[in-house]
Amino acid sequence: MDNGSDKSAYAVDQVEEARIAISDEVDEYTERESRKIIHRIDRRLLVTIGFMYCVSLIDRTNVSAAAIAGLATDLVLTGNRYSIVTLAFFPSYILFQPTSTVLVRKLGPRIHISVITAAWGVIMLGMGFVKTFGEFTALRVIIGVLEAGFFPSAVYLLSTWYTRYELGRRYGLFYVIGSVTSAFSGILAFGLIHLEGVGGLRGWRWIFIIEGIFTILLGIAGYWLLVDFPDSDRKTWKFLSEKERAWVVKRVNADRGDAEAPKFQVSKFLGAGLDWRLWAYGLIAFGSTTMTYALAFFLPIILNENLGYDVGTSQALVAPPYAFAGIFMYAVGWLGDRYRMRGPIIVINMVVALIGLPLLGWHPDPRIRYLGAFLLVAGANSNVPASLAYQATNIRGQWKRAFASATWVGFGGIGGIAGSLVFRAQDKPEYRPGLWACIAVALMIIVVVCILSISYYIDNRKADRGEKELEAEDEGFQPGFRYTY
């Protein structure tokens, strides 16, 4: 008993000494000055990355808008061909992700992210001129290779600039800017198909041409607008001073002690995979993206074929559920940061989705079914930033964070494959098996969160008794780390 008490007292003393030392380091700016610096980071980093994510989502999911505007007829997407086209993106997307977080550290975000964004814009533009199903499918594979580098790099970059209990809202804002803005691509597509016949091209081809040009321009602008890692010596155009960047590094170190990346070692990077929780976060990503991609690929089709709306109305009606989802996901992100909780937010999201699914699939009134789409879109999409924050809050160490980001996005890509297959052509117009699949993954996510929460509780109790230090594998770890439920 005495020995255990001594250990606990020693651990508490270590934490207090660290906090006092850290407080002296990070108090060089007033609270008002500190908020101004953080808001500058938000405006530059979040907005830039958010709009780049917007074009990423549009470019990978605009197939649904083009399909009901003539693509399916012109390229003879009969049988399972539509599912094959949507699926073709994901194998290369998954395969090329693990190296992306290493490359973004090596090359820097300004080069890595801006170059791949401009490159997939060129491919997107080319999709407006394809003649066959095979050509279109091949270009989808190439876009998968290029986009593989974006999302894990963006998520990793964001996690290095903020403390653990700032990440929920920031991931929420990042995803709001990206997903909500991209939702209005249905309205944009509706406008672009009215270019039917201009230049001798079908309206659906103009969707890819105009959106491809916009992506290229945004990729070029990203070279100047993107920022580097806070600990990097590489220059960033008109951003923070050296003193301000040093302050950011100190406050992140004060929070979790991993602001600076040690030299890359394959063993350290891959060794992170020995933590079973990273694979549990991956399962949450898989379940979440199964639903979000299914909605992105098939909601316009469901509105058209199942609920009976015409093509233009179906494309326009996609936007309101995503606008509601943006408000909802920011609200739950704020709630999670404010009360320092992560798992309950994910459960709330899944309960909302589980209410929306049967309404969308089984209610006889089309208006109520459309209300179900609001709830399903809100719950499913809010789980993406919520699960990213859940993971980022409960790990430390730069290379473990990099591996975790790549793993999360990789499993998310597998969810994309599932999402592109669950709503099958033979199941239309009701698509009941797809709805049951979404119900199953939502329940799975709730079970995984419960298992993680129990493991956090057990390890936190051991740490409180001084029996172990948590997340202490990396050099320079901060004593006193605790998992967040």
Side-chain angles (χ1 to χ4, degrees):
M1 288 291 290
D2 289 341
N3 187 40
S5 299
D6 289 345
K7 279 185 178 179
S8 182
Y10 176 69
V12 171
D13 288 343
Q14 272 192 313
V15 174
E16 286 305 312
E17 286 171 12
R19 283 176 180 162
I20 291 167
I22 287 160
S23 177
D24 291 340
E25 286 182 337
V26 298
D27 284 346
E28 56 195 279
Y29 290 106
T30 65
E31 187 176 344
R32 184 179 177 185
E33 290 170 333
S34 300
R35 281 201 302 268
K36 281 186 175 181
I37 295 171
I38 297 301
H39 289 159
R40 283 172 62 197
I41 297 169
D42 291 342
R43 287 192 297 269
R44 179 72 171 271
L45 178 58
L46 278 174
V47 172
T48 304
I49 286 289
F51 277 107
M52 295 181 94
Y53 183 49
C54 166
V55 298
S56 169
L57 283 177
I58 290 173
D59 292 348
R60 77 179 71 162
T61 60
N62 55 10
V63 180
S64 59
I68 60 176
L71 167 71
T73 302
D74 290 357
L75 299 189
V76 198
L77 300 186
T78 55
N80 289 323
R81 279 188 163 192
Y82 179 74
S83 289
I84 292 170
V85 161
T86 57
L87 171 67
F89 169 88
F90 290 101
S92 56
Y93 181 70
I94 295 166
L95 184 63
F96 285 88
Q97 278 176 1
T99 57
S100 63
T101 46
V102 178
L103 281 174
V104 75
R105 263 287 175 187
K106 184 76 173 174
L107 301 175
R110 293 179 66 197
I111 294 176
H112 179 65
I113 295 178
S114 62
V115 168
I116 61 174
T117 302
W120 89 61
V122 171
I123 303 300
M124 181 61 54
L125 191 154
M127 290 173 74
F129 299 95
V130 296
K131 303 296 183 184
T132 67
F133 160 73
E135 291 172 355
F136 192 81
T137 304
L139 291 183
R140 288 278 296 171
V141 173
I142 297 171
I143 285 185
V145 173
L146 294 169
E147 286 207 34
F150 175 77
F151 195 72
S153 299
V155 168
Y156 176 40
L157 177 63
L158 283 172
S159 73
T160 62
W161 278 94
Y162 297 102
T163 61
R164 288 183 297 154
Y165 299 110
E166 293 171 340
L167 281 172
R169 278 170 295 175
R170 268 67 188 193
Y171 279 142
L173 279 170
F174 160 64
Y175 200 75
V176 164
I177 294 169
S179 65
V180 174
T181 309
S182 70
F184 288 89
S185 65
I187 298 173
L188 174 63
F190 179 63
L192 291 175
I193 61 175
H194 284 86
L195 293 173
E196 180 80 25
V198 175
L201 298 174
R202 293 292 311 274
W204 66 264
R205 294 184 182 276
W206 283 108
I207 294 175
F208 295 109
I209 292 168
I210 299 299
E211 291 176 358
I213 291 170
F214 183 74
T215 302
I216 294 167
L217 294 175
L218 189 57
I220 294 169
Y223 179 77
W224 286 275
L225 295 177
L226 284 165
V227 304
D228 214 305
F229 294 95
D231 63 309
S232 173
D233 293 330
R234 290 183 288 256
K235 298 295 182 184
T236 297
W237 181 68
K238 292 186 178 180
F239 192 44
L240 303 182
S241 67
E242 290 298 320
K243 181 183 176 184
E244 288 166 337
R245 287 169 71 105
W247 175 80
V248 171
V249 170
K250 287 176 184 177
R251 71 192 295 271
V252 171
N253 273 331
D255 178 60
R256 58 178 186 262
D258 67 353
E260 296 164 305
K263 187 177 179 181
F264 176 72
Q265 293 179 338
V266 174
S267 58
K268 279 194 173 182
F269 181 70
L270 297 180
L274 297 175
D275 186 346
W276 67 270
R277 291 186 179 98
L278 268 59
W279 306 104
Y281 303 139
L283 280 177
I284 295 173
F286 164 77
S288 302
T289 58
T290 295
M291 291 184 282
T292 58
Y293 278 115
L295 288 166
F297 289 134
F298 291 98
L299 186 56
I301 296 172
I302 291 171
L303 292 170
N304 178 233
E305 296 179 354
N306 190 332
L307 272 66
Y309 295 105
D310 61 46
V311 171
T313 304
S314 297
Q315 288 172 333
L317 286 178
V318 169
Y322 281 91
F324 171 70
I327 297 169
F328 183 81
M329 76 174 68
Y330 182 77
V332 294
W334 176 88
L335 193 68
D337 281 354
R338 174 68 178 81
Y339 294 100
R340 299 195 169 195
M341 59 181 180
R342 295 290 183 240
I345 299 299
I346 293 176
V347 173
I348 289 169
N349 291 335
M350 289 300 91
V351 170
V352 170
L354 286 168
I355 295 170
L357 277 160
L359 289 179
L360 176 63
W362 284 273
H363 201 282
D365 188 339
R367 291 169 297 182
I368 301 299
R369 295 174 80 176
Y370 186 50
L371 172 64
F374 274 75
L375 297 176
L376 175 56
V377 170
N381 281 277
S382 297
N383 227 40
V384 172
S387 58
L388 285 169
Y390 191 43
Q391 169 199 266
T393 303
N394 287 306
I395 58 176
R396 67 161 306 282
Q398 282 279 348
W399 294 118
K400 185 173 185 179
R401 191 171 297 280
F403 183 89
S405 295
T407 304
W408 190 101
V409 181
F411 271 79
I414 297 171
I417 293 175
S420 66
L421 295 174
V422 292
F423 290 96
R424 303 173 302 175
Q426 61 262 42
D427 299 326
K428 65 181 183 182
E430 300 298 331
Y431 294 106
R432 294 283 168 77
L435 294 167
W436 279 115
C438 290
I439 290 171
V441 294
L443 292 172
M444 177 200 72
I445 287 170
I446 293 173
V447 171
V448 172
V449 169
C450 290
I451 293 170
L452 283 168
S453 296
I454 293 169
S455 76
Y456 292 155
Y457 176 78
I458 293 170
D459 276 353
N460 282 350
R461 288 290 297 246
K462 288 180 180 178
D464 289 341
R465 294 193 298 266
E467 295 174 9
K468 67 185 297 188
E469 281 289 353
L470 305 179
E471 297 292 312
E473 297 87 0
D474 249 16
E475 55 208 59
F477 76 94
Q478 292 290 351
F481 185 95
R482 296 293 183 272
Y483 293 118
T484 300
Y485 303 114

